[in-house]
Amino acid sequence: MKRKITRHQVPGPKNSLYYWTSYVNPLRVCFNFAVIFMCRFIPSLRLKNVLYRMVGIKIGKDVSVGLMVMFDVFFPQLITVGDNSVIGYNTTILAHEFMVHQWATGEVVIGRDVMIGANTTVLAGVTVGDEATVSAHSLVNHDVLPATFVGGVPAKEIPVSEPLEEEQNNTNLHNIKKRSSV
């Protein structure tokens, strides 16, 4: 699915990042940056979630945000993380894009019971459905359907096959017999 972003024109002849102070209050961005940057090093999940809420991120119950995670400092209020989700180490979640002749914003919605692996980047305008899993080192540049497993650059669905319970029991039994005969 295509990302849901709103494009904005640049107010002058320079690149869009040059004009960032006309889009967002610079003091607000400094506050957001200080809080979000500090949270990168805080091991307490509860304290981090309280601080993230202070900058406008909608954080659900029992969310676990790993160390070094970087949320968008310009538009954190556009980010929602559902209950019981895990955001892995050094992940970046953006709600904006600065390009040369335009800039864009988009809500990022991470559902409940979602696992986002370490070193992943989630771009503006993306929804990650409930119970989805994103593997480490992925680039999420489109919506992820609920209960799917995705990974890669860009992230694509990865089929997951689980062994049948009977096959798993037979393998475990075989391993036990093998060990006991040694």
Side-chain angles (χ1 to χ4, degrees):
M1 294 175 90
K2 203 170 183 182
R3 291 189 298 148
K4 296 164 282 306
I5 57 175
T6 303
R7 298 196 182 279
H8 311 274
Q9 291 305 308
V10 177
K14 299 177 178 139
N15 71 72
S16 64
L17 185 55
Y18 187 85
Y19 300 103
W20 75 267
T21 57
S22 67
Y23 316 139
V24 187
N25 183 324
L27 294 175
R28 185 67 199 184
V29 172
C30 289
F31 175 76
N32 293 347
F33 177 80
V35 170
I36 291 169
F37 187 77
M38 182 175 56
C39 286
R40 297 183 78 189
F41 303 97
I42 296 173
S44 169
L45 299 174
R46 281 189 186 160
L47 177 57
K48 280 200 278 196
N49 289 347
V50 167
L51 293 170
Y52 287 139
R53 289 181 187 114
M54 282 177 50
V55 298
I57 300 171
K58 295 168 230 37
I59 297 278
K61 276 181 54 180
D62 304 318
V63 169
S64 297
V65 178
L67 294 173
M68 304 308 288
V69 169
M70 192 66 184
F71 285 104
D72 192 298
V73 297
F74 290 98
F75 302 98
Q77 70 277 9
L78 296 178
I79 299 171
T80 301
V81 182
D83 295 345
N84 203 43
S85 290
V86 176
I87 311 295
Y89 178 86
N90 206 36
T91 289
T92 301
I93 300 177
L94 298 173
H96 79 280
E97 295 176 350
F98 288 122
M99 295 157 283
V100 176
H101 300 293
Q102 61 182 341
W103 61 286
T105 55
E107 277 192 69
V108 174
V109 179
I110 297 168
R112 64 174 171 68
D113 298 316
V114 169
M115 170 62 208
I116 296 183
N119 296 302
T120 292
T121 299
V122 179
L123 297 182
V126 167
T127 297
V128 179
D130 294 345
E131 300 179 3
T133 300
V134 179
S135 75
H137 296 279
S138 295
L139 172 65
V140 182
N141 63 352
H142 58 82
D143 289 351
V144 176
L145 295 174
T148 56
F149 180 71
V150 300
V153 178
K156 291 184 170 49
E157 187 170 352
I158 299 170
V160 178
S161 61
E162 295 181 32
L164 296 173
E165 188 176 324
E166 186 178 317
E167 291 174 347
Q168 186 64 41
N169 289 339
N170 289 339
T171 302
N172 291 342
L173 202 63
H174 175 72
N175 289 339
I176 292 169
K177 286 180 183 177
K178 193 173 171 183
R179 279 185 290 211
S180 63
S181 67
V182 175

